Amino acid sequence: MKKASIAVLLFCCSGVSVAAVPDGKIEKPFTFNNEVVCLKEIQEQMTPYLKSFEEEGGVKYKYNVKSGLSYKDTVGLRLQINRVDSGLNVRVADLDYYWLQERGSMCQPAYMVLDRSQ
């Protein structure tokens, strides 16, 4: 596993802010029909990115929701990502993922902070 630390992760998509983001206000995770809002979309975006750091095949991750977040005009999730293949349960990343509250921007990243340091 690559031991590098990535402070800020930016995707090559429109609307991603470059500004440093202070910690958001801790809230309950946002749910609808007992599912955490935007969690599936985050998994679909992040899993291929995290796998690109691994040298092995068959890598699997589990996304643990720590809390919801809010900051100014954004809402988000604070996640802990663990590698869970081969009997492992090792933390590989902590992710704060924010999106705008506007309906058209739902689940699209406004900005993210990904820390892979141990």
Side-chain angles (χ1 to χ4, degrees):
M1 179 182 341
K2 191 171 185 174
K3 298 277 184 187
S5 175
I6 299 174
V8 178
L9 168 70
L10 299 175
F11 280 111
C12 297
C13 57
S14 63
V16 175
S17 173
V18 182
V21 180
D23 285 335
K25 180 181 172 190
I26 303 297
E27 312 252 348
K28 286 184 80 174
F30 308 101
T31 60
F32 181 73
N33 290 337
N34 291 329
E35 289 190 23
V36 177
V37 172
C38 295
L39 183 58
K40 287 181 183 176
E41 290 83 355
I42 295 168
Q43 290 171 325
E44 289 171 5
Q45 291 173 15
M46 290 303 301
T47 298
Y49 178 80
L50 292 171
K51 282 183 179 179
S52 70
F53 283 99
E54 307 294 343
E55 296 175 4
E56 308 165 34
V59 177
K60 294 182 181 172
Y61 296 99
K62 180 179 180 183
Y63 290 73
N64 301 307
V65 177
K66 295 300 195 178
S67 68
L69 297 168
S70 65
Y71 178 73
K72 293 188 179 181
D73 62 343
T74 61
V75 292
L77 289 172
R78 176 163 285 166
L79 305 170
Q80 178 181 317
I81 306 170
N82 290 358
R83 181 175 170 179
V84 295
D85 57 284
S86 305
L88 296 173
N89 191 16
V90 178
R91 185 176 86 197
V92 295
D94 293 303
L95 173 68
D96 286 355
Y97 185 105
Y98 293 88
W99 62 90
L100 298 175
Q101 296 183 49
E102 300 166 3
R103 200 175 221 346
S105 300
M106 191 70 173
C107 302
Q108 296 300 315
Y111 40 82
M112 292 176 286
V113 179
L114 175 66
D115 181 5
R116 286 180 57 94
S117 63
Q118 294 293 334

